[in-house]
Amino acid sequence: MSANDADADVPDEATESPPSEGERKKGVPRDPSRAVGGTALAEPKPPSFLATTGAKLLAALMAPLSELGALAKMLGQVFFWGLRPPYRGRIFIHCMEYVGVQSIFIVGITGFFVGAVLGLQLVNGFRDLGVESQTGSVVGFALSREIGPVFTALMVSSRAGSAMTTELGSMRVTNQIDALITMAVNPVQYLVVPRVVAGLFMVPILTIFFDVIGMTGAWLVCTKLLGLDSGVFLDRMRWIVDWKDVNLGLTKAAVFGVTVCLIACRQGFYAKGGAAGVGQATNRSVVHNAIAILLLDYLVTGIVLGEGLG
Amino acid sequence: MGVREWFDSFTGASADELRRVDPKILADPVHVRVRDVHKSYGPHHVLKGLSFDIARGKTNVIIGPSGSGKTVLMRQLIRLEKPDSGQILVNERDFVALDGMELDAMRRTMGMVFQMSALFDSMSVFENVAFPLREHTKMSQKEIRERVMDRLESLGIGHAWSKSPAELSGGMQKRVAVARSLVLETDILIYDEPTTGLDPITTCTVDELIAEAEEKFGVTSIVISHDMASVFRIADRITFMYFGEVQASGTPRELLESLNKPTMEFILASGVSRDLIDGRRND
Ligand SMILES: Nc1ncnc2c1ncn2[C@@H]1O[C@H](COP(=O)(O)OP(=O)(O)OP(=O)(O)O)[C@@H](O)[C@H]1O
Ligand SMILES: [Mg+2]
């Protein structure tokens, strides 16, 4: 029994209208079928402790799998509906603006300080080894291959991803997604595709931005505050960072971009349980994204470098 | 097939063909025939073989106590879900068997007013109503503006076109939702519990709204409700549902003859056992 199966007999929140004031005042029982309809007449025996624990354990093990299945299904739908007309240019641009342009500030700020502190730490650590001249190379290497894409994706997840989940989730619980269907507009095509595509393009672009700002931050701290030679710093950086590193970074960024938006949309799209449910979905969206980013980071690195995967 | 036609085959411009109906069928007083519709969720058998008719151009009310499956039925009628078995014949075409483009074409002839209106809160009132036109027609900006303002004005909310849905009262939101549903050539408009949770005055205006929409646009209304008072005010035809089965269906007069009103009110107020209704009907 997966978590989804367990939900099956609970009415879907999206279909079930909340008990209204009027209903309660009139004293109409919420669900008389339970009382008179002949369902569940005999009180079921409470299951044993062992059985419940076992079921819970199994559900906990199955949950990630069923979640992966749901994500795969949604990715398939995104492909299917993404390729079909109509193409809604305005919405794509709006989503790009939302994911990309509106994340510039937070990505810039974090990029600058991550670069700066990296420079500070490296110079301080390398000084003892007498290799502080290598700071530029390590900064460039780390930012372009690793820190840039991961940090950017985490920032986009917590800024744009969480907002996406909230938006789609509240659309779900207020029947707006159903309304789209009744107006013969496919909700995956209309809502999910443009967001995932925005992630695919904007996260790599933001990553480049993060790298540049981060390297600038490191360069400023190392040369202006810690007295490293600017020429050496830049020379080392140029020597070590080549296309391969940038490529690896951007590949990761693209993978993260799709993942972040897909997870965010999936959580919102299938949210249930009213406003509280949307809150939980947003929470899950950020947590799942953080896990997915770090997990995929290792996987993609392993695949591209061809080692480390056992 | 040229690129243009290929594109249109998805945007639905060519799907208008599918909607053309033989005038003979349009003369039929029955618009929708629901035949033996079943729906279960797992072991829970919610709709147990429903059959009834929806009259063309009239207000058809589906009424029944809470939990009797009205919302589930509504979701089948507009094909948010597919019934397990049975037929829903709209203008003699089986809606249940349709798929893909044909289903979408059919859906565009039906509108749905959700209980909480379900307006897109990221768009203004105008954009909400313009949405189906932008999605499904090739109207110019000017034509869209004219059509939208026409609908808004005939429903008495022309002044609110630039507002966001959150700024409107519940009754006005409902009007916008009706305008949005009527902006395409809609034949059938379904309302899910349009008056639940509204105060008595707003309830009256919503009742008027339903009648207005019907008069001005000639639509067939299907109203899902458990508000007895308003039912007898607005209904041309009533279908009484009780735990997934149709207990009675007909004009209010016919219904009152088969089940008297106090009985129905009593049933709705207390959800007592169905033996009572069965007993009454066998009298
Ligand atoms: N998605 C679902 N999964 C499982 N059971 C469901 C689902 N939707 C509805 N049900 C069950 O179907 C029955 C009928 O529900 P429905 O919402 O149609 O009642 P209703 O007549 O609309 O009542 P109300 O007047 O309270 O809105 C309920 O017992 C409900 O638990
Ligand atoms: Mg209902």
Side-chain angles (χ1 to χ4, degrees):
Chain A
M1 270 261 157
S2 73
N4 282 348
D5 290 330
D7 288 347
D9 52 350
V10 186
D12 198 341
E13 192 61 29
T15 71
E16 182 86 340
S17 46
S20 64
E21 279 305 312
E23 215 171 88
R24 264 183 249 127
K25 281 199 201 101
K26 272 184 289 173
V28 176
R30 176 68 188 130
D31 188 0
S33 70
R34 302 236 184 280
V36 295
T39 51
L41 281 182
E43 193 65 32
K45 230 179 11 176
S48 72
F49 172 76
L50 215 68
T52 41
T53 320
K56 269 188 200 150
L57 212 68
L58 203 63
L61 286 174
M62 292 298 284
L65 284 183
S66 72
E67 183 60 34
L68 273 182
L71 282 173
K73 191 172 147 215
M74 188 158 237
L75 188 62
Q77 287 177 331
V78 166
F79 266 109
F80 179 80
W81 287 104
L83 295 175
R84 275 175 64 137
Y87 309 118
R88 299 172 175 89
R90 277 214 345 235
I91 298 178
F92 276 95
I93 291 174
H94 175 81
C95 287
M96 301 253 191
E97 199 257 353
Y98 186 76
V99 172
V101 179
Q102 292 190 33
S103 298
I104 285 181
F105 181 72
I106 187 161
V107 167
I109 290 276
T110 46
F112 183 84
F113 284 106
V114 166
V117 82
L118 195 64
L120 183 59
Q121 287 278 22
L122 286 176
V123 170
N124 184 274
F126 281 179
R127 208 176 265 143
D128 298 341
L129 305 170
V131 288
E132 65 259 50
S133 63
Q134 289 297 339
T135 304
S137 56
V138 178
V139 164
F141 196 72
L143 277 177
S144 61
R145 277 188 167 201
E146 197 56 50
I147 298 176
V150 169
F151 258 81
T152 308
L154 287 173
M155 287 303 135
V156 169
S157 150
S158 51
R159 199 205 68 81
S162 59
M164 263 180 218
T165 308
T166 314
E167 190 185 356
L168 265 58
S170 63
M171 287 186 78
R172 165 64 76 187
V173 300
T174 57
N175 288 112
Q176 291 178 51
I177 291 183
D178 286 340
L180 278 175
I181 299 173
T182 65
M183 285 188 265
V185 173
N186 183 281
V188 172
Q189 188 178 34
Y190 187 81
L191 296 171
V192 182
V193 169
R195 286 171 171 77
V196 172
V197 172
L200 173 66
F201 287 110
M202 295 325 280
V203 174
I205 293 176
L206 286 170
T207 299
I208 294 176
F209 180 69
F210 185 102
D211 291 349
V212 171
I213 297 275
M215 288 175 194
T216 312
W219 175 81
L220 275 176
V221 168
C222 294
T223 58
K224 305 288 169 211
L225 298 181
L226 303 176
L228 231 65
D229 183 64
S230 170
V232 172
F233 183 92
L234 291 178
D235 185 57
R236 291 280 95 192
M237 189 178 267
R238 234 174 282 139
W239 170 72
I240 193 97
V241 179
D242 60 16
W243 259 116
K244 217 179 81 220
D245 302 307
V246 178
N247 246 341
L248 173 59
L250 293 188
T251 309
K252 282 182 184 177
V255 172
F256 296 163
V258 169
T259 311
V260 163
C261 294
L262 192 72
I263 289 179
C265 287
R266 128 94 194 135
Q267 287 296 345
F269 200 80
Y270 292 109
K272 53 184 169 184
V278 175
Q280 285 164 2
T282 307
N283 197 342
R284 272 200 304 275
S285 153
V286 174
V287 172
H288 287 195
N289 264 330
I291 297 172
I293 290 167
L294 296 172
L295 220 131
L296 282 172
D297 185 36
Y298 191 88
L299 264 178
V300 176
T301 311
I303 291 169
V304 172
L305 298 183
E307 55 187 339
L309 290 176
Chain B
M1 194 161 65
V3 175
R4 216 170 178 113
E5 285 81 45
W6 177 76
F7 208 89
D8 285 350
S9 72
F10 291 99
T11 54
S14 61
D16 283 342
E17 285 296 309
L18 296 168
R19 294 177 35 188
R20 272 197 198 113
V21 182
D22 185 353
K24 253 190 258 140
I25 294 178
L26 287 180
D28 182 358
V30 178
H31 197 157
V32 182
R33 290 184 170 81
V34 178
R35 291 292 173 264
D36 201 29
V37 166
H38 285 266
K39 179 78 188 176
S40 309
Y41 297 102
H44 196 24
H45 201 170
V46 181
L47 303 182
K48 304 164 187 162
L50 293 180
S51 301
F52 58 93
D53 292 342
I54 298 289
R56 191 182 300 278
K58 296 279 185 343
T59 307
N60 301 266
V61 178
I62 296 169
I63 187 161
S66 216
S68 55
K70 300 184 298 292
T71 302
V72 173
L73 170 64
M74 176 275 288
R75 295 176 71 82
Q76 321 297 313
L77 282 178
I78 197 131
R79 264 298 289 279
L80 278 171
E81 290 167 16
K82 193 168 180 166
D84 298 337
S85 67
Q87 290 180 311
I88 298 174
L89 300 160
V90 180
N91 284 330
E92 306 198 348
R93 278 170 80 101
D94 189 2
F95 197 24
V96 176
L98 293 184
D99 241 322
M101 296 306 297
E102 283 187 305
L103 175 61
D104 277 352
M106 200 68 149
R107 272 186 181 139
R108 274 185 279 144
T109 70
M110 301 175 119
M112 173 83 218
V113 179
F114 287 90
Q115 191 165 356
M116 310 310 263
S117 298
L119 298 174
F120 301 126
D121 39 31
S122 59
M123 299 179 192
S124 69
V125 166
F126 181 91
E127 283 304 319
N128 262 286
V129 180
F131 180 82
L133 297 176
R134 295 205 202 286
E135 282 296 321
H136 295 305
T137 69
K138 291 189 171 160
M139 288 183 166
S140 68
Q141 289 296 346
K142 188 164 160 284
E143 286 167 316
I144 289 181
R145 196 162 54 239
E146 277 165 12
R147 172 80 74 92
V148 170
M149 288 317 288
D150 172 71
R151 292 294 190 271
L152 287 175
E153 261 148 33
S154 57
L155 292 169
I157 36 169
H159 58 281
W161 66 274
S162 62
K163 293 211 165 102
S164 93
E167 296 172 69
L168 303 180
S169 70
M172 280 166 92
Q173 285 184 2
K174 218 135 260 178
R175 281 179 184 265
V176 178
V178 171
R180 184 175 68 179
S181 308
L182 285 174
V183 76
L184 293 173
E185 313 292 308
T186 311
D187 302 332
I188 302 177
L189 205 48
I190 307 180
Y191 304 80
D192 187 17
E193 311 204 353
T195 56
T196 328
L198 296 181
D199 61 80
I201 295 173
T202 318
T203 301
C204 280
T205 56
V206 170
D207 289 348
E208 278 163 27
L209 169 66
I210 294 170
E212 257 172 66
E214 216 171 278
E215 253 163 57
K216 290 188 179 143
F217 302 100
V219 293
T220 300
S221 319
I222 303 176
V223 183
I224 290 167
S225 175
H226 50 208
D227 181 354
M228 283 305 280
S230 95
V231 164
F232 278 91
R233 201 158 53 230
I234 61 172
D236 296 313
R237 224 189 135 76
I238 299 177
T239 298
F240 182 63
M241 254 178 91
Y242 196 72
F243 297 113
E245 284 170 42
V246 172
Q247 290 292 337
S249 181
T251 62
R253 174 162 293 280
E254 284 167 0
L255 206 75
L256 282 177
E257 277 159 15
S258 65
L259 297 169
N260 58 37
K261 187 178 166 189
T263 314
M264 280 186 75
E265 255 172 340
F266 182 55
I267 292 163
L268 292 174
S270 56
V272 287
S273 97
R274 45 182 285 199
D275 300 0
L276 185 73
I277 314 171
D278 290 342
R280 281 283 171 190
R281 290 184 69 210
N282 296 339
D283 275 349

